[in-house]
Amino acid sequence: MPVFLRFDDPDFDAAFAALLGAKREEAVDVDEAVAAIIADVRARGDAAVIELTARFDRLELTPETLRVSETEIDAAIAQVPPAERDALELAAERIRAYHARQMPEDARWTDAAGAELGWRWSPVSAAGLYVPGGLASYPSSVLMNAIPAKVAGVPRLAMVVPSPDGVLNPLVLLAARLSGVDEVYRIGGAQAVAALAYGTDSIAPVDKITGPGNAFVAAAKRRVFGKVGIDMIAGPSEILVIADADNDPDWIALDLMSQAEHDESAQSILITTDADFGRAVMKAVDDRLQSLTRRAIAGASWRDNGAVIVVSDLDQAARLSDRIAPEHLELCVADPEALFAKITHAGAVFLGQWTPEAIGDYVGGPNHVLPTARSARFSSGLGTLDFLKRTTVARMTPEALRAIGPSAEVLAASESLEAHGLSVTARLKRLNS
Amino acid sequence: MPVFLRFDDPDFDAAFAALLGAKREEAVDVDEAVAAIIADVRARGDAAVIELTARFDRLELTPETLRVSETEIDAAIAQVPPAERDALELAAERIRAYHARQMPEDARWTDAAGAELGWRWSPVSAAGLYVPGGLASYPSSVLMNAIPAKVAGVPRLAMVVPSPDGVLNPLVLLAARLSGVDEVYRIGGAQAVAALAYGTDSIAPVDKITGPGNAFVAAAKRRVFGKVGIDMIAGPSEILVIADADNDPDWIALDLMSQAEHDESAQSILITTDADFGRAVMKAVDDRLQSLTRRAIAGASWRDNGAVIVVSDLDQAARLSDRIAPEHLELCVADPEALFAKITHAGAVFLGQWTPEAIGDYVGGPNHVLPTARSARFSSGLGTLDFLKRTTVARMTPEALRAIGPSAEVLAASESLEAHGLSVTARLKRLNS
């Protein structure tokens, strides 16, 4: 049974704190194994990648067959039924349009002292995209990672996807093609992350690696961070729905289950102003759990991590929501904009009852790679900025240096950095001579 | 002696690769000690922080004296000479003006399908700023970390600064005051990072921690990452100067030394189109190394990590510069804008001979916290965005859901996520009934 809490209960604070603090995922310690794999790939390159792929994926490769050829991709894509192709194309187009708006602008100006200042954005030269194999091989995730990179202008985008026993998902390859992925390699695990970070004879190194993966992939990304950039380390999925009584309990139940079905560690929470509605949603969830294909996973997630919280008003709901800092937040209330204005911490917000979270997973346009485990307090979902970096620029005229240089001399002296000060002094001397 | 290379030498590639790959800093493994300190602070809070401060900083504190009082800050600030106060105020004002321009805009639009989309930026609720004690206690770093946080709108900014034997730097306290820091604690090391991340009875937890520190601080930041956000882990400082023959060798020598004097591990490189000019700069460096106060540090850095590289033209210089991806890049050439257009990877660029890098350390306006160790390939200097996070937002009308919902149903089915699809299906059914 999921937790049923009332804000006004005397023990609410303790129960809510317990809900927030519960550890939903066992940390699997694979760090030593991953360190060995990375060292092996750095030392032996292709040979190590090929051996590890044979061992973990039961797939015999050569340096020539590491990469999936364009002919193979063409053949796989040809199998995709038109309805799925159309849906993927619509999604790609909408994701591209959304992320194009995220492109930041360069800036340049001259200030009152005569100093010319500004910054310039530029894409990373090469990005690597990790795509899981097997059950969690989602074509939508390919779009969500690859399209922002291409919108940012990344010239080279290399994708790795394990193909256990040689099996590749045609939809994943189609998503890669639609997104403009430049290279696809049929490898996975820590060895694929190491190959992207350090390069091998067959795989050129990249500067940034993004994309979800299992414990081995997460540990490898942590280890190569610094050598390359990485995106966040994703935890289990979460949804918080804030709903008043004027909703269909079955819709809300399905929204809660759409995260619960991802993973037994996923968390689905309903906050409502109406206790009866809360109970009706719990009943609707139980009904749906009779028949859902993934009822074993969704049921375990709901039982172990689910919660229904009854509040007196939406101000209370907003305050609790900010303490949860949810990955996904649905506002199914009469005036969702007014409630949104009271919320500070959330990865992605879905306004009103016609916006199920699943729209955001596929075709809404915003990214579905979002901060989990309360990290929406300090981080954002994936976006175009993740594939760009900013170079600041400054240009002094002699007059500008005369105006602000003396302050730099004073501060350099106060920090006992003599050469810093002298590099200004030498120039000012020329100006004053 | 620093390395002297010519692009046209047959063994240039190998020598340049060796220069790039050289490990300038020994990794000190303090991870186990740091893990124990963090666990202790999590378990015992203030008591652990107080004990560790007594042990490492020879300073006896109580929960009441952990925080530096406003009265103490007032008294310390009163000691600061007017020239230093004025210089710090000018720096603060210029840094504030630059970072105010970095504030991103919220967005909201309705697309052709009738879907309302957008995003909203909001600051983290609380940020923690680490300021080193002792030699590297730089007031300029307080400004560079604290001002972007306040420009972003962070309501609570807590600073920690160790005060070995009870000594605090008045200029650091003045910089904190000028930047709007809300709380100052006289603690440091891994224990201060743990207190900021997890909170104690006397120190409320923060959501993001920035600022430089020693190996203990860096290891602690890595460990608390995930629980809170962190900025980059800074490595030793670097400067690359690209200069033609039309420069004063002494100015360039001083610019190179202004990084070399930071640290024996710092790296200063000159790329020039004129071999004689390169030799003249080496001579000027040797001359300055006779008298510089920090000649021992600067001399060791130049000897072990310095380099002069002679190229045939500025295209070669730009290509080498992108391979170095320098933290600081000075373009002391006749047309610095034209050269800047050829450069992709650099933390901060200084255009023309009147813009010594030291200006950027203090009063230019751009941030001096910049990516080191080639990480300018994929990351940016500190800025206002580092204290903000973006919440994406979507709102479907019934018509928008009718237009794009069916594609979400198809993709959910292809990913075997039934509840995702049903959450859309249930709503479309109502629309079509």
Side-chain angles (χ1 to χ4, degrees):
Chain A
M1 279 285 287
V3 185
F4 189 96
L5 305 174
R6 286 166 182 277
F7 190 87
D8 298 331
D9 281 352
D11 56 352
F12 175 81
D13 282 346
F16 186 72
L19 185 72
L20 279 189
K23 222 182 166 68
R24 280 145 48 208
E25 204 175 35
E26 275 313 305
V28 192
D29 192 2
V30 296
D31 200 47
E32 267 184 51
V34 164
I37 289 171
I38 294 173
D40 193 19
V41 172
R42 287 185 70 174
R44 297 195 299 129
D46 283 342
V49 172
I50 287 169
E51 274 181 36
L52 292 159
T53 302
R55 191 192 313 162
F56 293 124
D57 296 340
R58 302 164 303 281
L59 180 66
E60 298 293 337
L61 296 174
T62 65
E64 291 70 37
T65 58
L66 279 171
R67 183 163 170 184
V68 183
S69 71
E70 294 303 309
T71 319
E72 285 175 277
I73 296 174
D74 290 339
I77 289 178
Q79 303 167 28
V80 176
E84 295 187 346
R85 171 188 278 272
D86 290 350
L88 217 48
E89 281 178 355
L90 178 80
E93 185 190 311
R94 294 185 57 84
I95 295 163
R96 192 173 293 118
Y98 184 91
H99 289 81
R101 292 195 182 237
Q102 290 186 335
M103 271 301 279
E105 297 201 345
D106 295 349
R108 206 70 177 273
W109 66 93
T110 303
D111 69 13
E116 198 179 328
L117 300 172
W119 62 77
R120 192 180 68 187
W121 292 94
S122 55
V124 301
S125 293
L129 162 54
Y130 191 94
V131 179
L135 246 189
S137 180
Y138 296 141
S140 58
S141 288
V142 175
L143 303 182
M144 293 291 181
N145 280 271
I147 290 175
K150 280 298 176 179
V151 167
V154 175
R156 176 178 165 248
L157 179 52
M159 177 175 124
V160 295
V161 53
S163 62
D165 302 307
V167 180
L168 282 168
N169 179 345
L171 272 172
V172 162
L173 294 176
L174 177 55
R177 177 69 61 80
L178 292 175
S179 310
V181 168
D182 299 289
E183 304 162 14
V184 179
Y185 299 94
R186 63 188 107 224
I187 57 174
Q191 59 274 21
V193 175
L196 288 173
Y198 290 98
T200 70
D201 284 344
S202 303
I203 303 173
V206 303
D207 301 306
K208 174 122 190 180
I209 299 176
T210 72
N214 63 17
F216 284 83
V217 172
K221 281 168 66 180
R222 270 187 197 276
R223 281 207 162 253
V224 301
F225 174 57
K227 166 68 181 161
V228 300
I230 62 168
D231 63 343
M232 66 199 87
I233 307 284
S237 194
E238 311 151 4
I239 187 169
L240 169 62
V241 180
I242 302 179
D244 57 27
D246 194 19
N247 279 280
D248 185 325
D250 182 50
W251 296 8
I252 304 301
L254 285 167
D255 297 351
L256 295 169
M257 288 306 99
S258 72
Q259 294 312 299
E261 74 177 345
H262 270 297
D263 191 337
E264 294 187 6
S265 310
Q267 183 162 53
S268 305
I269 300 177
L270 169 66
I271 297 182
T272 180
T273 44
D274 187 299
D276 287 340
F277 179 76
R279 276 183 287 265
V281 170
M282 291 178 84
K283 166 82 171 54
V285 167
D286 288 343
D287 289 350
R288 286 290 184 175
L289 283 175
Q290 301 296 316
S291 59
L292 276 182
T293 320
R294 295 168 75 103
R295 58 187 174 273
I297 294 170
S301 160
W302 180 240
R303 182 190 67 222
D304 296 342
N305 307 309
V308 173
I309 301 173
V310 181
V311 292
S312 313
D313 57 45
L314 293 177
D315 283 344
Q316 285 178 357
R319 282 201 298 279
L320 293 181
S321 177
D322 269 352
R323 287 180 62 191
I324 296 170
E327 181 191 14
H328 303 101
L329 174 61
E330 280 187 18
L331 304 182
C332 299
V333 296
D335 187 352
E337 292 283 0
L339 182 53
F340 182 45
K342 294 176 185 164
I343 303 278
T344 310
H345 306 308
V349 171
F350 304 86
L351 299 176
Q353 59 178 353
W354 297 104
T355 320
E357 184 279 329
I359 285 293
D361 281 336
Y362 296 116
V363 294
N367 213 287
H368 79 196
V369 180
L370 293 164
T372 57
R374 305 192 61 219
S375 63
R377 292 176 297 123
F378 55 81
S379 63
S380 311
L382 197 69
T384 307
L385 281 176
D386 290 291
F387 298 95
L388 295 163
K389 64 268 185 331
R390 187 183 48 212
T391 298
T392 61
V393 59
R395 180 175 197 164
M396 299 297 128
T397 55
E399 293 66 42
L401 192 67
R402 215 192 309 253
I404 67 175
S407 291
E409 291 178 287
V410 169
L411 293 173
S414 79
E415 295 185 355
S416 305
L417 293 172
E418 188 189 13
H420 283 67
L422 287 173
S423 73
V424 177
T425 308
R427 287 164 167 98
L428 290 178
K429 224 180 235 173
R430 173 82 52 87
L431 283 178
N432 297 328
S433 70
Chain B
M1 279 284 286
V3 184
F4 190 95
L5 305 174
R6 288 166 182 275
F7 191 88
D8 297 330
D9 281 352
D11 57 352
F12 175 80
D13 282 346
F16 186 71
L19 185 72
L20 279 189
K23 225 184 162 69
R24 279 145 48 206
E25 204 175 35
E26 275 313 304
V28 191
D29 193 1
V30 297
D31 200 47
E32 267 184 51
V34 165
I37 290 171
I38 294 174
D40 193 20
V41 172
R42 288 185 69 175
R44 298 195 299 129
D46 283 343
V49 173
I50 288 168
E51 274 181 38
L52 291 159
T53 302
R55 191 191 313 161
F56 294 124
D57 295 341
R58 302 162 304 279
L59 180 66
E60 298 294 337
L61 296 174
T62 65
E64 291 69 37
T65 58
L66 279 170
R67 182 164 171 182
V68 183
S69 72
E70 294 303 309
T71 319
E72 284 174 278
I73 296 174
D74 289 340
I77 288 178
Q79 304 167 27
V80 176
E84 295 189 346
R85 171 188 278 274
D86 291 349
L88 217 47
E89 281 178 356
L90 178 79
E93 184 190 313
R94 295 186 56 85
I95 295 164
R96 192 173 292 118
Y98 184 91
H99 288 82
R101 291 194 182 237
Q102 289 186 336
M103 271 300 279
E105 296 203 345
D106 295 348
R108 206 71 176 274
W109 67 93
T110 304
D111 69 14
E116 199 179 326
L117 300 172
W119 63 76
R120 193 180 67 187
W121 292 94
S122 55
V124 301
S125 293
L129 163 53
Y130 191 95
V131 178
L135 245 190
S137 181
Y138 296 141
S140 58
S141 288
V142 176
L143 303 182
M144 294 290 182
N145 280 271
I147 290 174
K150 282 296 177 182
V151 166
V154 175
R156 174 176 167 252
L157 180 52
M159 178 175 123
V160 294
V161 54
S163 62
D165 303 307
V167 181
L168 281 167
N169 179 345
L171 271 174
V172 162
L173 294 175
L174 176 56
R177 177 67 62 80
L178 293 175
S179 311
V181 168
D182 299 287
E183 303 162 14
V184 179
Y185 299 94
R186 62 187 109 227
I187 57 175
Q191 58 274 20
V193 175
L196 288 173
Y198 290 98
T200 71
D201 285 343
S202 304
I203 304 173
V206 303
D207 300 306
K208 174 122 191 180
I209 299 176
T210 71
N214 63 17
F216 284 83
V217 172
K221 281 170 66 181
R222 271 185 196 276
R223 281 207 163 253
V224 300
F225 174 55
K227 165 70 180 161
V228 299
I230 62 168
D231 63 342
M232 67 198 88
I233 307 284
S237 195
E238 310 151 3
I239 187 169
L240 170 61
V241 180
I242 301 179
D244 57 27
D246 194 20
N247 279 281
D248 186 326
D250 182 51
W251 295 7
I252 304 301
L254 285 166
D255 298 350
L256 294 169
M257 288 306 98
S258 73
Q259 294 311 298
E261 74 177 344
H262 270 297
D263 190 338
E264 294 188 7
S265 309
Q267 182 162 53
S268 304
I269 300 177
L270 168 67
I271 297 182
T272 179
T273 43
D274 188 298
D276 287 340
F277 178 77
R279 276 184 289 264
V281 170
M282 291 178 81
K283 167 82 172 52
V285 167
D286 288 343
D287 289 350
R288 286 289 184 176
L289 283 174
Q290 302 295 316
S291 59
L292 275 182
T293 321
R294 295 168 75 102
R295 58 187 174 273
I297 294 170
S301 161
W302 180 240
R303 181 190 66 225
D304 297 340
N305 307 308
V308 173
I309 301 173
V310 181
V311 293
S312 314
D313 57 46
L314 293 177
D315 283 343
Q316 285 177 358
R319 282 201 299 280
L320 293 181
S321 177
D322 269 352
R323 287 180 62 189
I324 296 169
E327 181 190 15
H328 303 101
L329 174 61
E330 281 187 17
L331 304 181
C332 299
V333 296
D335 186 352
E337 293 283 358
L339 182 53
F340 181 45
K342 294 177 186 167
I343 303 277
T344 310
H345 308 307
V349 171
F350 304 87
L351 299 176
Q353 60 179 350
W354 297 103
T355 320
E357 184 279 328
I359 284 293
D361 280 337
Y362 296 115
V363 294
N367 213 288
H368 78 197
V369 180
L370 293 164
T372 57
R374 304 194 61 221
S375 63
R377 291 174 298 124
F378 55 81
S379 62
S380 310
L382 197 69
T384 308
L385 281 176
D386 290 292
F387 298 95
L388 295 163
K389 66 268 184 335
R390 186 183 50 213
T391 297
T392 62
V393 59
R395 180 175 197 165
M396 298 297 127
T397 55
E399 294 64 42
L401 192 66
R402 216 192 311 253
I404 68 174
S407 291
E409 291 178 285
V410 169
L411 293 173
S414 79
E415 294 185 355
S416 304
L417 292 172
E418 188 188 13
H420 283 66
L422 287 173
S423 73
V424 177
T425 307
R427 286 163 167 98
L428 289 179
K429 228 181 232 171
R430 174 82 52 88
L431 284 179
N432 297 327
S433 69

